[in-house]
Amino acid sequence: EDCMKHFASQALSRTSPKILHILSDIDYTVFSGMGTGAKKFPGGPIPGAMQLFKKLVGATELDGSHVTFVSARPGSLKAWTQGQLRDRLQIREACVLTGAAEDFAPWFSDKTRAVTNIRNRKVDNFIRFQGVFPEYQFVWFGDSGEGDIDFAMEINRDLPGGLLTSMIHDVLDPNTGAPKTDPDTRRKLFNGGIFVFDTYVGAAVHCFQKGLLDAAAVASVISDAKRGL
């Protein structure tokens, strides 16, 4: 606790602007693999995601100083996940805040409870992480499959200003193949500071509108997304 107070006091004494840091889920957010929902893209990196991340933090290569992954994947998969992020997404020394296997225990008997467990774990991980890095200004990327919207809503409610903006990649309904989030729900979420997008081109445009990217950066994300399709 004393360490946390020291970190917070040091952050308050900073005269430079806060550092933009990306928080991101993995599955169906930046990587099409494990997760719920019908697949929108082939297995592998989701087109445009990493280019958008690079442009947001002003880096040509990404590492743990730029992005932290807040995942439902259990700790037993942490080393494998870091290897996947390195080999498939070219993120060196990725920082991964993991979930736990017991969070998934009620999945088949009570899926709502399991998703709540996943969300709560992510919230707890974020609160601890924020306490260590109070100099960061966070941007959240998640998906509409497993509690990431509720994560953003809870942080916005309990820690106002904790997230500069929240962006949610919409998964497809496994039964219909249509986007999971309907237009009315998207509007309500947007009014609460949560933007739901279908592709990372849309996410880049949202970042431009928020003043986080310039037009050249958006064009770069568009080109990268096209190459990935």
Side-chain angles (χ1 to χ4, degrees):
E1 184 177 351
D2 290 340
C3 287
M4 295 300 187
K5 289 180 180 178
H6 173 71
F7 292 148
S9 67
Q10 290 299 304
L12 289 172
S13 67
R14 285 173 55 91
T15 57
S16 56
K18 283 197 170 187
I19 303 166
L20 192 146
H21 190 83
I22 296 169
L23 286 178
S24 180
D25 179 50
I26 300 174
D27 297 300
Y28 282 170
T29 298
V30 297
F31 198 86
S32 182
M34 298 184 292
T36 61
K39 282 191 176 182
K40 185 187 297 185
F41 302 103
I46 293 178
M50 291 302 98
Q51 185 68 7
L52 175 55
F53 284 15
K54 290 174 184 176
K55 292 300 178 180
L56 280 172
V57 300
T60 56
E61 294 184 353
L62 294 170
D63 59 34
S65 70
H66 305 119
V67 54
T68 295
F69 291 95
V70 186
S71 177
R73 295 185 183 186
S76 59
L77 296 179
K78 184 173 182 177
W80 176 78
T81 296
Q82 289 174 315
Q84 185 184 52
L85 293 170
R86 180 191 64 242
D87 298 339
R88 302 298 301 278
L89 298 180
Q90 286 73 57
I91 299 176
R92 296 177 290 109
E93 300 177 358
C95 179
V96 182
L97 308 181
T98 62
E102 58 262 33
D103 295 342
F104 291 90
W107 187 269
F108 294 105
S109 60
D110 188 351
K111 184 177 178 180
T112 299
R113 181 182 166 198
V115 171
T116 299
N117 291 343
I118 291 168
R119 180 202 68 210
N120 290 343
R121 182 83 59 177
K122 287 184 176 183
V123 169
D124 290 345
N125 282 341
F126 169 69
I127 290 173
R128 287 195 295 270
F129 187 77
Q130 184 195 43
V132 177
F133 297 101
E135 71 274 20
Y136 284 166
Q137 178 69 71
F138 296 99
V139 173
W140 168 239
F141 286 88
D143 66 78
S144 57
E146 297 168 354
D148 290 344
I149 291 175
D150 289 339
F151 168 89
M153 293 174 69
E154 188 166 340
I155 297 300
N156 288 344
R157 183 190 69 231
D158 296 342
L159 295 170
L163 299 173
L164 181 60
T165 189
S166 298
M167 287 169 273
I168 299 294
H169 181 228
D170 207 15
V171 302
L172 301 181
D173 186 303
N175 298 315
T176 66
K180 182 179 178 180
T181 311
D182 62 76
D184 186 55
T185 301
R186 290 188 184 210
R187 282 190 294 270
K188 291 177 180 177
L189 290 170
F190 183 78
N191 291 336
I194 301 170
F195 177 70
V196 179
F197 64 93
D198 296 299
T199 71
Y200 273 89
V201 171
V205 172
H206 174 70
C207 290
F208 173 78
Q209 293 169 337
K210 295 284 292 185
L212 300 175
L213 293 181
D214 59 22
V218 175
S220 175
V221 175
I222 293 172
S223 296
D224 184 80
K226 284 182 177 178
R227 287 193 295 270
L229 291 176

